[in-house]
Amino acid sequence: MVRAMAGGREEDRRAALALLAWQLAAGVDEVVGNLPVNRLESAASIRGRPPATPRPMPSSATARSAPAPAAAAAQQGPSEAVMAARARAREAETLEQLRDILAGFDGCALRLTARNLCFADGNPQARIMFVGEAPGQEEDIQGAPFVGPAGKLLDRMLAAIGLDRTSVYITNVVYWRPPGNRTPTPQETQICRPFVERQIELADPDVLVLLGNASASVLLDRKEGILRLRGKWFDFDTGRRTIPAMPTLHPAYLLRQPGQKRLAWRDFLAIRKALDG
């Protein structure tokens, strides 16, 4: 009997591990609630509970005057959200104002699932600006771009050409972490695009580096993949002036494909030459 009980516990342990593996594969990486919920609880025990006290409903006037952020974001269609983003981005006269506007902008649903806005890191007065794709888990926790494993590799790449966080300005084309670190949708990038373009215009760097396919395709309106675009110079028009822009490989990609670092090294040497020239 004892052996049978031990065998049952082992089966339960294996089932729990299999469930955790499935959740990780599905992109679950955070605990939503503090207490477990017994989904296998019998219906009889549920029926035996006293009825829950209903929550008071807000008055219609209150609901109209203060809509929930989730409801406000859901009411906007893609085109309306993009138009709202363009209007709000134009209001910013400084990078600080742009960040404050983004913090209150409810047109992108990603802000509802993210912990923090990841606006920028580094020196806003730097001559060179890097634009990546989207925050990851560590970036979402700290509220800054490129602070996780990919950011540590980026720091080493910068050091190889004599740069560091005090001499560069860094952001992403999407300011909030997508759930499970999934790729941002075209709608999400288009909603954030006016803010990124305004951020580049206000920072006014001499050189723009686009890290990965997402930032290159969005900001350059190119359909080619990053392996075709990397290492080439393009013109990025801010409305005030034209900035030379180079797409290159994203550090996260280089962590998965370390053999491609030689290509990124060539790009970074060309970037260093452009800064020196």
Side-chain angles (χ1 to χ4, degrees):
M1 181 177 178
V2 173
R3 188 177 301 172
M5 291 175 63
R9 287 196 295 268
E10 179 63 21
E11 290 179 0
D12 291 342
R13 187 182 73 85
R14 291 178 180 175
L17 289 175
L19 177 59
L20 286 173
W22 177 84
Q23 289 174 335
L24 287 172
V28 178
D29 56 8
E30 297 182 34
V31 177
V32 176
N34 293 324
L35 296 175
V37 178
N38 186 3
R39 303 295 183 187
L40 302 179
E41 190 174 11
S42 67
S45 63
I46 295 176
R47 286 196 298 269
R49 293 178 183 172
T53 304
R55 296 180 181 178
M57 296 297 291
S59 66
S60 58
T62 303
R64 285 193 301 268
S65 61
Q75 289 173 0
Q76 287 186 322
S79 58
E80 290 84 357
V82 172
M83 291 176 62
R86 290 173 181 167
R88 296 306 313 276
R90 284 195 296 267
E91 295 174 11
E93 296 298 330
T94 65
L95 290 169
E96 291 77 12
Q97 289 178 6
L98 185 65
R99 190 192 189 286
D100 292 341
I101 290 171
L102 263 171
F105 181 71
D106 58 7
C108 183
L110 287 177
R111 72 188 297 270
L112 305 176
T113 55
R115 294 184 181 183
N116 287 302
L117 167 71
C118 298
F119 180 67
D121 194 25
N123 182 2
Q125 284 78 45
R127 294 182 55 217
I128 182 169
M129 181 173 179
F130 290 78
V131 183
E133 181 180 44
Q137 182 179 17
E138 193 62 34
E139 287 77 11
D140 188 33
I141 293 172
Q142 298 191 35
F146 284 94
V147 293
K152 291 179 174 59
L153 176 56
L154 178 60
D155 287 339
R156 295 196 294 271
M157 294 166 68
L158 293 173
I161 58 170
L163 300 174
D164 58 25
R165 296 279 174 139
T166 66
S167 53
V168 301
Y169 187 53
I170 308 173
T171 190
N172 284 305
V173 290
V174 169
Y175 295 96
W176 297 274
R177 179 198 180 198
N181 287 359
R182 64 164 173 77
T183 301
T185 66
Q187 176 183 337
E188 290 161 353
T189 56
Q190 288 304 313
I191 290 173
C192 292
R193 178 176 178 172
F195 295 107
V196 179
E197 292 176 338
R198 184 63 172 158
Q199 189 174 5
I200 296 171
E201 181 182 359
L202 292 171
D204 196 28
D206 293 330
V207 175
L208 184 63
V209 180
L210 307 177
L211 297 169
N213 189 67
S215 59
S217 61
V218 169
L219 294 176
L220 298 178
D221 287 317
R222 307 287 298 206
K223 302 300 182 184
E224 303 95 321
I226 189 61
L227 291 175
R228 290 180 176 270
L229 294 173
R230 57 142 294 272
K232 301 175 183 176
W233 288 105
F234 297 87
D235 290 336
F236 181 83
D237 187 2
T238 67
R240 295 181 179 178
R241 69 182 182 115
T242 299
I243 299 174
M246 176 182 286
T248 189
L249 303 175
H250 196 287
Y253 171 79
L254 297 176
L255 289 175
R256 300 190 301 269
Q257 301 287 339
Q260 301 286 44
K261 289 181 180 180
R262 57 187 177 83
L263 300 179
W265 174 239
R266 295 175 192 171
D267 298 344
F268 269 61
L269 288 177
I271 291 166
R272 178 73 263 182
K273 183 177 180 180
L275 286 173
D276 294 339

